[in-house]
Amino acid sequence: MKYLLAVILLSVVVGCASSKKDESPAEQAPEVKKQTQKKAPTVSIESKQLAAEEETPFVTEFSFKKGSADLSQTAKNEIESLIKKAEKKGKIEEIKVISWADEEYPSVHTKKLSTAERNIANNRNKSIESFVNDFPLDAKVSTYSMAERPNILKDVISTSDARIKKSLETAGIPNTDTSVKVPAKASKAIVIVIVE
């Protein structure tokens, strides 16, 4: 009887051990599969809408660390990938760079953010422009600071700056007076590549 119980116990242990080996790695540890999947970059609906208005599918969006104008390696990879995809479709005519400060776009009452916030948005634009200029492209690079609203003259003659900002406002970006900051754009940048 003891011998029979030992055999049954041994077969149960061996059976359980072999069934674990038969499972696929994903079945054994689903969390491993989740960790190894690359997180796809997300481009907001506002950015996609702006790109559609510019008649291009080539757009990316990424974040800066608060207080920093340094491009992360991930941001550099995103820009490089975007440029390579666009080059496959034709000659790149223009690259539009739109950067926010660490605060949302100023409301109609605020007009512009503090000097420090305006500087950080401008420095982020310069950082992206400098990185883009390292590519052997013969393309115009246009930068837009989302730390100040277009002035009345720009608004009246509908400059590119005023048009870009108006498009983003219409798409629903929050501003400094908006109580709900979704979708937040503070510390973000958008890069749009336009092909001839």
Side-chain angles (χ1 to χ4, degrees):
M1 189 73 167
K2 289 180 184 177
Y3 178 72
L4 183 59
L5 283 174
V7 169
I8 292 171
L9 183 60
L10 183 61
S11 65
V12 168
V13 170
V14 170
C16 288
S18 68
S19 71
K20 278 289 187 191
K21 289 179 185 174
D22 293 338
E23 290 178 0
S24 72
E27 291 171 330
Q28 287 178 4
E31 56 276 354
V32 172
K33 183 178 179 185
K34 288 178 187 173
Q35 291 172 354
T36 58
Q37 288 178 339
K38 273 187 139 181
K39 186 178 176 186
T42 54
V43 177
S44 68
I45 191 71
E46 297 82 18
S47 298
K48 289 178 184 176
Q49 185 173 330
L50 182 59
E53 289 176 17
E54 297 294 327
E55 299 178 357
T56 182
F58 305 111
V59 60
T60 191
E61 183 176 327
F62 50 87
S63 297
F64 282 91
K65 285 185 181 174
K66 194 167 181 149
S68 173
D70 296 332
L71 279 170
S72 68
Q73 190 57 51
T74 302
K76 289 178 181 179
N77 293 344
E78 284 297 311
I79 296 168
E80 183 175 2
S81 173
L82 186 70
I83 288 171
K84 285 180 180 179
K85 285 178 191 172
E87 284 181 314
K88 288 179 183 176
K89 294 295 180 182
K91 184 179 184 291
I92 296 176
E93 180 182 332
E94 184 178 7
I95 298 174
K96 295 191 177 201
V97 176
I98 304 146
S99 295
W100 275 258
D102 289 332
E103 292 181 35
E104 298 296 349
Y105 182 61
S107 71
V108 290
H109 306 292
T110 307
K111 295 290 185 193
K112 59 186 175 183
L113 301 179
S114 69
T115 302
E117 290 294 319
R118 284 181 282 152
N119 287 342
I120 194 83
N122 289 329
N123 290 339
R124 287 171 175 165
N125 276 338
K126 287 176 187 171
S127 180
I128 298 168
E129 182 178 20
S130 174
F131 180 72
V132 166
N133 284 333
D134 286 342
F135 289 88
L137 302 171
D138 185 27
K140 176 183 174 186
V141 179
S142 302
T143 60
Y144 305 89
S145 169
M146 295 302 287
E148 55 190 314
R149 302 182 68 79
N151 64 35
I152 294 171
L153 179 61
K154 285 182 179 179
D155 216 2
V156 168
I157 60 173
S158 192
T159 64
S160 184
D161 181 70
R163 192 176 43 78
I164 293 277
K165 292 175 181 181
K166 186 67 173 173
S167 292
L168 287 166
E169 282 183 81
T170 303
I173 61 160
N175 62 49
T176 51
D177 281 351
T178 309
S179 58
V180 179
K181 300 293 189 229
V182 175
K185 288 289 183 237
S187 304
K188 296 210 176 195
I190 299 170
V191 176
I192 297 174
V193 178
I194 300 169
V195 177
E196 285 182 350

mmCIF file of all heavy atoms in Angstrom, residues 12-57:
data_model
loop_
_atom_site.group_PDB
_atom_site.id
_atom_site.type_symbol
_atom_site.label_atom_id
_atom_site.label_comp_id
_atom_site.label_asym_id
_atom_site.label_seq_id
_atom_site.Cartn_x
_atom_site.Cartn_y
_atom_site.Cartn_z
ATOM 1 N N VAL A 12 2.144 11.956 -10.124
ATOM 2 C CA VAL A 12 1.494 13.267 -10.094
ATOM 3 C C VAL A 12 2.547 14.375 -10.202
ATOM 4 O O VAL A 12 2.394 15.323 -10.970
ATOM 5 C CB VAL A 12 0.635 13.440 -8.812
ATOM 6 C CG1 VAL A 12 0.199 14.879 -8.633
ATOM 7 C CG2 VAL A 12 -0.561 12.517 -8.856
ATOM 8 N N VAL A 13 3.639 14.247 -9.449
ATOM 9 C CA VAL A 13 4.703 15.251 -9.468
ATOM 10 C C VAL A 13 5.347 15.313 -10.852
ATOM 11 O O VAL A 13 5.544 16.380 -11.425
ATOM 12 C CB VAL A 13 5.755 14.958 -8.371
ATOM 13 C CG1 VAL A 13 6.978 15.841 -8.558
ATOM 14 C CG2 VAL A 13 5.148 15.160 -7.003
ATOM 15 N N VAL A 14 5.655 14.182 -11.444
ATOM 16 C CA VAL A 14 6.275 14.133 -12.768
ATOM 17 C C VAL A 14 5.303 14.678 -13.811
ATOM 18 O O VAL A 14 5.680 15.431 -14.707
ATOM 19 C CB VAL A 14 6.729 12.685 -13.109
ATOM 20 C CG1 VAL A 14 7.135 12.575 -14.568
ATOM 21 C CG2 VAL A 14 7.877 12.279 -12.208
ATOM 22 N N GLY A 15 4.030 14.327 -13.700
ATOM 23 C CA GLY A 15 3.015 14.806 -14.635
ATOM 24 C C GLY A 15 2.890 16.316 -14.600
ATOM 25 O O GLY A 15 2.794 16.969 -15.639
ATOM 26 N N CYS A 16 2.880 16.896 -13.406
ATOM 27 C CA CYS A 16 2.779 18.355 -13.279
ATOM 28 C C CYS A 16 4.007 19.034 -13.855
ATOM 29 O O CYS A 16 3.909 20.049 -14.525
ATOM 30 C CB CYS A 16 2.607 18.767 -11.817
ATOM 31 S SG CYS A 16 0.971 18.363 -11.170
ATOM 32 N N ALA A 17 5.166 18.480 -13.575
ATOM 33 C CA ALA A 17 6.413 19.066 -14.058
ATOM 34 C C ALA A 17 6.473 19.026 -15.574
ATOM 35 O O ALA A 17 6.884 19.986 -16.213
ATOM 36 C CB ALA A 17 7.606 18.341 -13.453
ATOM 37 N N SER A 18 6.038 17.927 -16.189
ATOM 38 C CA SER A 18 6.114 17.844 -17.645
ATOM 39 C C SER A 18 5.072 18.728 -18.309
ATOM 40 O O SER A 18 5.307 19.259 -19.381
ATOM 41 C CB SER A 18 5.961 16.391 -18.116
ATOM 42 O OG SER A 18 4.651 15.942 -17.853
ATOM 43 N N SER A 19 3.908 18.947 -17.673
ATOM 44 C CA SER A 19 2.907 19.822 -18.283
ATOM 45 C C SER A 19 3.390 21.264 -18.297
ATOM 46 O O SER A 19 3.073 22.017 -19.192
ATOM 47 C CB SER A 19 1.557 19.696 -17.572
ATOM 48 O OG SER A 19 1.630 20.285 -16.296
ATOM 49 N N LYS A 20 4.175 21.684 -17.326
ATOM 50 C CA LYS A 20 4.748 23.034 -17.320
ATOM 51 C C LYS A 20 5.720 23.209 -18.480
ATOM 52 O O LYS A 20 5.798 24.243 -19.093
ATOM 53 C CB LYS A 20 5.485 23.314 -15.994
ATOM 54 C CG LYS A 20 4.582 23.740 -14.881
ATOM 55 C CD LYS A 20 4.083 25.126 -15.133
ATOM 56 C CE LYS A 20 3.298 25.620 -13.930
ATOM 57 N NZ LYS A 20 2.588 26.818 -14.210
ATOM 58 N N LYS A 21 6.494 22.121 -18.786
ATOM 59 C CA LYS A 21 7.463 22.204 -19.870
ATOM 60 C C LYS A 21 6.767 22.295 -21.217
ATOM 61 O O LYS A 21 7.285 22.873 -22.147
ATOM 62 C CB LYS A 21 8.377 20.973 -19.850
ATOM 63 C CG LYS A 21 9.346 20.973 -18.696
ATOM 64 C CD LYS A 21 10.199 19.728 -18.708
ATOM 65 C CE LYS A 21 11.090 19.665 -17.474
ATOM 66 N NZ LYS A 21 11.817 18.417 -17.376
ATOM 67 N N ASP A 22 5.563 21.710 -21.332
ATOM 68 C CA ASP A 22 4.848 21.712 -22.596
ATOM 69 C C ASP A 22 4.214 23.059 -22.905
ATOM 70 O O ASP A 22 3.873 23.340 -24.039
ATOM 71 C CB ASP A 22 3.754 20.625 -22.595
ATOM 72 C CG ASP A 22 4.347 19.222 -22.557
ATOM 73 O OD1 ASP A 22 5.521 19.049 -22.944
ATOM 74 O OD2 ASP A 22 3.624 18.314 -22.133
ATOM 75 N N GLU A 23 4.040 23.906 -21.889
ATOM 76 C CA GLU A 23 3.438 25.212 -22.119
ATOM 77 C C GLU A 23 4.405 26.099 -22.888
ATOM 78 O O GLU A 23 5.618 25.986 -22.755
ATOM 79 C CB GLU A 23 3.112 25.893 -20.784
ATOM 80 C CG GLU A 23 1.978 25.246 -20.027
ATOM 81 C CD GLU A 23 1.726 25.933 -18.693
ATOM 82 O OE1 GLU A 23 2.442 26.903 -18.381
ATOM 83 O OE2 GLU A 23 0.827 25.504 -17.989
ATOM 84 N N SER A 24 3.854 26.968 -23.672
ATOM 85 C CA SER A 24 4.709 27.922 -24.383
ATOM 86 C C SER A 24 5.252 28.925 -23.370
ATOM 87 O O SER A 24 4.674 29.106 -22.301
ATOM 88 C CB SER A 24 3.894 28.645 -25.458
ATOM 89 O OG SER A 24 3.013 29.546 -24.850
ATOM 90 N N PRO A 25 6.360 29.601 -23.702
ATOM 91 C CA PRO A 25 6.916 30.593 -22.776
ATOM 92 C C PRO A 25 5.906 31.662 -22.386
ATOM 93 O O PRO A 25 5.887 32.127 -21.264
ATOM 94 C CB PRO A 25 8.086 31.199 -23.555
ATOM 95 C CG PRO A 25 8.464 30.169 -24.558
ATOM 96 C CD PRO A 25 7.196 29.427 -24.873
ATOM 97 N N ALA A 26 5.032 32.042 -23.307
ATOM 98 C CA ALA A 26 4.034 33.073 -22.989
ATOM 99 C C ALA A 26 3.022 32.555 -21.984
ATOM 100 O O ALA A 26 2.540 33.304 -21.135
ATOM 101 C CB ALA A 26 3.322 33.524 -24.255
ATOM 102 N N GLU A 27 2.683 31.237 -22.070
ATOM 103 C CA GLU A 27 1.729 30.672 -21.123
ATOM 104 C C GLU A 27 2.363 30.507 -19.751
ATOM 105 O O GLU A 27 1.706 30.627 -18.732
ATOM 106 C CB GLU A 27 1.229 29.309 -21.625
ATOM 107 C CG GLU A 27 0.357 29.416 -22.848
ATOM 108 C CD GLU A 27 0.048 28.063 -23.457
ATOM 109 O OE1 GLU A 27 0.881 27.144 -23.350
ATOM 110 O OE2 GLU A 27 -1.027 27.933 -24.051
ATOM 111 N N GLN A 28 3.664 30.237 -19.730
ATOM 112 C CA GLN A 28 4.345 30.067 -18.453
ATOM 113 C C GLN A 28 4.439 31.394 -17.706
ATOM 114 O O GLN A 28 4.280 31.439 -16.507
ATOM 115 C CB GLN A 28 5.761 29.508 -18.665
ATOM 116 C CG GLN A 28 5.760 28.055 -19.061
ATOM 117 C CD GLN A 28 7.167 27.546 -19.315
ATOM 118 O OE1 GLN A 28 8.135 28.273 -19.112
ATOM 119 N NE2 GLN A 28 7.277 26.320 -19.762
ATOM 120 N N ALA A 29 4.721 32.466 -18.409
ATOM 121 C CA ALA A 29 4.881 33.765 -17.745
ATOM 122 C C ALA A 29 4.371 34.877 -18.657
ATOM 123 O O ALA A 29 5.131 35.470 -19.411
ATOM 124 C CB ALA A 29 6.346 33.995 -17.391
ATOM 125 N N PRO A 30 3.068 35.188 -18.603
ATOM 126 C CA PRO A 30 2.535 36.227 -19.487
ATOM 127 C C PRO A 30 3.159 37.591 -19.249
ATOM 128 O O PRO A 30 3.221 38.411 -20.143
ATOM 129 C CB PRO A 30 1.037 36.236 -19.183
ATOM 130 C CG PRO A 30 0.846 35.473 -17.934
ATOM 131 C CD PRO A 30 2.055 34.594 -17.760
ATOM 132 N N GLU A 31 3.646 37.843 -18.023
ATOM 133 C CA GLU A 31 4.242 39.143 -17.749
ATOM 134 C C GLU A 31 5.547 39.344 -18.521
ATOM 135 O O GLU A 31 5.901 40.456 -18.866
ATOM 136 C CB GLU A 31 4.451 39.379 -16.246
ATOM 137 C CG GLU A 31 5.282 38.322 -15.543
ATOM 138 C CD GLU A 31 4.481 37.100 -15.100
ATOM 139 O OE1 GLU A 31 3.243 37.077 -15.214
ATOM 140 O OE2 GLU A 31 5.104 36.149 -14.650
ATOM 141 N N VAL A 32 6.251 38.237 -18.852
ATOM 142 C CA VAL A 32 7.476 38.332 -19.635
ATOM 143 C C VAL A 32 7.144 38.817 -21.035
ATOM 144 O O VAL A 32 7.817 39.675 -21.589
ATOM 145 C CB VAL A 32 8.214 36.965 -19.678
ATOM 146 C CG1 VAL A 32 9.384 37.025 -20.649
ATOM 147 C CG2 VAL A 32 8.681 36.587 -18.287
ATOM 148 N N LYS A 33 6.071 38.279 -21.609
ATOM 149 C CA LYS A 33 5.653 38.689 -22.947
ATOM 150 C C LYS A 33 5.309 40.178 -22.958
ATOM 151 O O LYS A 33 5.693 40.899 -23.864
ATOM 152 C CB LYS A 33 4.440 37.855 -23.379
ATOM 153 C CG LYS A 33 3.991 38.161 -24.791
ATOM 154 C CD LYS A 33 2.827 37.286 -25.187
ATOM 155 C CE LYS A 33 2.368 37.622 -26.593
ATOM 156 N NZ LYS A 33 1.178 36.884 -26.968
ATOM 157 N N LYS A 34 4.613 40.647 -21.936
ATOM 158 C CA LYS A 34 4.239 42.055 -21.865
ATOM 159 C C LYS A 34 5.473 42.944 -21.769
ATOM 160 O O LYS A 34 5.534 44.005 -22.348
ATOM 161 C CB LYS A 34 3.331 42.317 -20.662
ATOM 162 C CG LYS A 34 1.940 41.755 -20.839
ATOM 163 C CD LYS A 34 1.112 42.010 -19.602
ATOM 164 C CE LYS A 34 -0.223 41.296 -19.690
ATOM 165 N NZ LYS A 34 -0.967 41.400 -18.435
ATOM 166 N N GLN A 35 6.484 42.500 -21.007
ATOM 167 C CA GLN A 35 7.682 43.305 -20.818
ATOM 168 C C GLN A 35 8.519 43.393 -22.080
ATOM 169 O O GLN A 35 9.178 44.393 -22.315
ATOM 170 C CB GLN A 35 8.538 42.726 -19.685
ATOM 171 C CG GLN A 35 7.915 42.879 -18.323
ATOM 172 C CD GLN A 35 8.691 42.129 -17.254
ATOM 173 O OE1 GLN A 35 9.630 41.398 -17.533
ATOM 174 N NE2 GLN A 35 8.281 42.305 -16.009
ATOM 175 N N THR A 36 8.523 42.338 -22.901
ATOM 176 C CA THR A 36 9.371 42.334 -24.078
ATOM 177 C C THR A 36 8.736 43.043 -25.268
ATOM 178 O O THR A 36 9.421 43.365 -26.214
ATOM 179 C CB THR A 36 9.739 40.884 -24.489
ATOM 180 O OG1 THR A 36 8.531 40.151 -24.721
ATOM 181 C CG2 THR A 36 10.576 40.213 -23.425
ATOM 182 N N GLN A 37 7.427 43.289 -25.234
ATOM 183 C CA GLN A 37 6.796 44.006 -26.329
ATOM 184 C C GLN A 37 7.207 45.470 -26.286
ATOM 185 O O GLN A 37 7.204 46.079 -25.234
ATOM 186 C CB GLN A 37 5.270 43.915 -26.236
ATOM 187 C CG GLN A 37 4.724 42.562 -26.570
ATOM 188 C CD GLN A 37 3.206 42.537 -26.421
ATOM 189 O OE1 GLN A 37 2.625 43.363 -25.726
ATOM 190 N NE2 GLN A 37 2.585 41.575 -27.066
ATOM 191 N N LYS A 38 7.567 45.996 -27.452
ATOM 192 C CA LYS A 38 7.933 47.409 -27.512
ATOM 193 C C LYS A 38 6.689 48.259 -27.430
ATOM 194 O O LYS A 38 5.682 47.962 -28.055
ATOM 195 C CB LYS A 38 8.644 47.707 -28.827
ATOM 196 C CG LYS A 38 10.110 47.472 -28.811
ATOM 197 C CD LYS A 38 10.693 47.965 -30.099
ATOM 198 C CE LYS A 38 11.989 48.677 -29.831
ATOM 199 N NZ LYS A 38 12.575 49.187 -31.052
ATOM 200 N N LYS A 39 6.766 49.313 -26.658
ATOM 201 C CA LYS A 39 5.643 50.233 -26.560
ATOM 202 C C LYS A 39 5.661 51.145 -27.784
ATOM 203 O O LYS A 39 6.632 51.845 -28.040
ATOM 204 C CB LYS A 39 5.759 51.066 -25.282
ATOM 205 C CG LYS A 39 4.557 51.936 -25.038
ATOM 206 C CD LYS A 39 4.684 52.701 -23.761
ATOM 207 C CE LYS A 39 3.498 53.623 -23.601
ATOM 208 N NZ LYS A 39 3.623 54.500 -22.462
ATOM 209 N N ALA A 40 4.598 51.077 -28.538
ATOM 210 C CA ALA A 40 4.504 51.895 -29.753
ATOM 211 C C ALA A 40 4.309 53.355 -29.367
ATOM 212 O O ALA A 40 3.588 53.666 -28.428
ATOM 213 C CB ALA A 40 3.340 51.418 -30.606
ATOM 214 N N PRO A 41 4.986 54.254 -30.078
ATOM 215 C CA PRO A 41 4.802 55.667 -29.768
ATOM 216 C C PRO A 41 3.370 56.075 -30.076
ATOM 217 O O PRO A 41 2.779 55.609 -31.037
ATOM 218 C CB PRO A 41 5.787 56.363 -30.696
ATOM 219 C CG PRO A 41 6.029 55.396 -31.800
ATOM 220 C CD PRO A 41 5.858 54.034 -31.214
ATOM 221 N N THR A 42 2.845 56.925 -29.236
ATOM 222 C CA THR A 42 1.477 57.364 -29.451
ATOM 223 C C THR A 42 1.483 58.796 -29.971
ATOM 224 O O THR A 42 2.188 59.653 -29.456
ATOM 225 C CB THR A 42 0.650 57.301 -28.156
ATOM 226 O OG1 THR A 42 1.327 58.039 -27.143
ATOM 227 C CG2 THR A 42 0.472 55.872 -27.693
ATOM 228 N N VAL A 43 0.730 59.003 -31.010
ATOM 229 C CA VAL A 43 0.574 60.331 -31.585
ATOM 230 C C VAL A 43 -0.868 60.729 -31.313
ATOM 231 O O VAL A 43 -1.800 60.007 -31.653
ATOM 232 C CB VAL A 43 0.874 60.324 -33.097
ATOM 233 C CG1 VAL A 43 0.645 61.697 -33.691
ATOM 234 C CG2 VAL A 43 2.310 59.877 -33.352
ATOM 235 N N SER A 44 -1.046 61.870 -30.673
ATOM 236 C CA SER A 44 -2.387 62.307 -30.287
ATOM 237 C C SER A 44 -3.244 62.627 -31.507
ATOM 238 O O SER A 44 -2.734 62.892 -32.603
ATOM 239 C CB SER A 44 -2.291 63.544 -29.390
ATOM 240 O OG SER A 44 -1.822 64.645 -30.142
ATOM 241 N N ILE A 45 -4.527 62.631 -31.288
ATOM 242 C CA ILE A 45 -5.479 62.961 -32.346
ATOM 243 C C ILE A 45 -5.264 64.392 -32.840
ATOM 244 O O ILE A 45 -5.419 64.679 -34.030
ATOM 245 C CB ILE A 45 -6.948 62.717 -31.885
ATOM 246 C CG1 ILE A 45 -7.909 62.808 -33.075
ATOM 247 C CG2 ILE A 45 -7.362 63.679 -30.808
ATOM 248 C CD1 ILE A 45 -7.824 61.672 -34.037
ATOM 249 N N GLU A 46 -4.861 65.277 -31.941
ATOM 250 C CA GLU A 46 -4.605 66.675 -32.327
ATOM 251 C C GLU A 46 -3.433 66.758 -33.307
ATOM 252 O O GLU A 46 -3.484 67.500 -34.290
ATOM 253 C CB GLU A 46 -4.308 67.546 -31.098
ATOM 254 C CG GLU A 46 -5.448 67.646 -30.123
ATOM 255 C CD GLU A 46 -5.516 66.448 -29.175
ATOM 256 O OE1 GLU A 46 -4.526 65.715 -29.019
ATOM 257 O OE2 GLU A 46 -6.596 66.258 -28.591
ATOM 258 N N SER A 47 -2.384 65.971 -33.029
ATOM 259 C CA SER A 47 -1.217 65.956 -33.918
ATOM 260 C C SER A 47 -1.573 65.355 -35.267
ATOM 261 O O SER A 47 -1.158 65.854 -36.318
ATOM 262 C CB SER A 47 -0.075 65.161 -33.280
ATOM 263 O OG SER A 47 0.324 65.771 -32.084
ATOM 264 N N LYS A 48 -2.357 64.278 -35.234
ATOM 265 C CA LYS A 48 -2.779 63.638 -36.493
ATOM 266 C C LYS A 48 -3.648 64.579 -37.309
ATOM 267 O O LYS A 48 -3.535 64.648 -38.532
ATOM 268 C CB LYS A 48 -3.538 62.343 -36.189
ATOM 269 C CG LYS A 48 -2.647 61.233 -35.676
ATOM 270 C CD LYS A 48 -3.467 60.005 -35.343
ATOM 271 C CE LYS A 48 -2.590 58.918 -34.745
ATOM 272 N NZ LYS A 48 -3.388 57.748 -34.333
ATOM 273 N N GLN A 49 -4.515 65.318 -36.634
ATOM 274 C CA GLN A 49 -5.387 66.261 -37.333
ATOM 275 C C GLN A 49 -4.571 67.379 -37.968
ATOM 276 O O GLN A 49 -4.819 67.774 -39.111
ATOM 277 C CB GLN A 49 -6.425 66.840 -36.370
ATOM 278 C CG GLN A 49 -7.439 67.742 -37.053
ATOM 279 C CD GLN A 49 -8.551 68.172 -36.112
ATOM 280 O OE1 GLN A 49 -8.915 67.468 -35.187
ATOM 281 N NE2 GLN A 49 -9.089 69.354 -36.358
ATOM 282 N N LEU A 50 -3.587 67.880 -37.236
ATOM 283 C CA LEU A 50 -2.723 68.928 -37.773
ATOM 284 C C LEU A 50 -1.953 68.405 -38.994
ATOM 285 O O LEU A 50 -1.860 69.092 -40.013
ATOM 286 C CB LEU A 50 -1.754 69.426 -36.702
ATOM 287 C CG LEU A 50 -0.812 70.551 -37.108
ATOM 288 C CD1 LEU A 50 -1.576 71.792 -37.560
ATOM 289 C CD2 LEU A 50 0.132 70.893 -35.964
ATOM 290 N N ALA A 51 -1.436 67.187 -38.910
ATOM 291 C CA ALA A 51 -0.715 66.588 -40.036
ATOM 292 C C ALA A 51 -1.651 66.419 -41.235
ATOM 293 O O ALA A 51 -1.249 66.671 -42.382
ATOM 294 C CB ALA A 51 -0.117 65.250 -39.628
ATOM 295 N N ALA A 52 -2.890 66.035 -40.981
ATOM 296 C CA ALA A 52 -3.861 65.881 -42.071
ATOM 297 C C ALA A 52 -4.113 67.223 -42.754
ATOM 298 O O ALA A 52 -4.223 67.291 -43.984
ATOM 299 C CB ALA A 52 -5.165 65.296 -41.538
ATOM 300 N N GLU A 53 -4.183 68.295 -41.975
ATOM 301 C CA GLU A 53 -4.362 69.628 -42.549
ATOM 302 C C GLU A 53 -3.156 70.035 -43.386
ATOM 303 O O GLU A 53 -3.284 70.774 -44.354
ATOM 304 C CB GLU A 53 -4.616 70.658 -41.447
ATOM 305 C CG GLU A 53 -5.982 70.523 -40.808
ATOM 306 C CD GLU A 53 -6.198 71.487 -39.655
ATOM 307 O OE1 GLU A 53 -5.445 72.478 -39.536
ATOM 308 O OE2 GLU A 53 -7.126 71.248 -38.873
ATOM 309 N N GLU A 54 -1.987 69.530 -42.999
ATOM 310 C CA GLU A 54 -0.762 69.807 -43.752
ATOM 311 C C GLU A 54 -0.596 68.818 -44.914
ATOM 312 O O GLU A 54 0.407 68.848 -45.624
ATOM 313 C CB GLU A 54 0.463 69.734 -42.825
ATOM 314 C CG GLU A 54 0.472 70.763 -41.721
ATOM 315 C CD GLU A 54 0.605 72.189 -42.219
ATOM 316 O OE1 GLU A 54 1.289 72.417 -43.245
ATOM 317 O OE2 GLU A 54 0.007 73.091 -41.602
ATOM 318 N N GLU A 55 -1.574 67.925 -45.052
ATOM 319 C CA GLU A 55 -1.618 66.914 -46.115
ATOM 320 C C GLU A 55 -0.401 65.998 -46.100
ATOM 321 O O GLU A 55 0.244 65.751 -47.127
ATOM 322 C CB GLU A 55 -1.791 67.583 -47.481
ATOM 323 C CG GLU A 55 -3.081 68.364 -47.576
ATOM 324 C CD GLU A 55 -3.267 69.074 -48.901
ATOM 325 O OE1 GLU A 55 -2.378 69.035 -49.764
ATOM 326 O OE2 GLU A 55 -4.342 69.681 -49.069
ATOM 327 N N THR A 56 -0.096 65.479 -44.908
ATOM 328 C CA THR A 56 1.013 64.537 -44.763
ATOM 329 C C THR A 56 0.681 63.500 -43.683
ATOM 330 O O THR A 56 0.036 63.841 -42.693
ATOM 331 C CB THR A 56 2.331 65.259 -44.409
ATOM 332 O OG1 THR A 56 3.384 64.290 -44.335
ATOM 333 C CG2 THR A 56 2.245 65.984 -43.081
ATOM 334 N N PRO A 57 1.127 62.260 -43.875
ATOM 335 C CA PRO A 57 0.928 61.253 -42.828
ATOM 336 C C PRO A 57 2.118 61.183 -41.864
ATOM 337 O O PRO A 57 2.092 60.436 -40.897
ATOM 338 C CB PRO A 57 0.823 59.953 -43.638
ATOM 339 C CG PRO A 57 1.698 60.190 -44.824
ATOM 340 C CD PRO A 57 1.560 61.671 -45.135
#
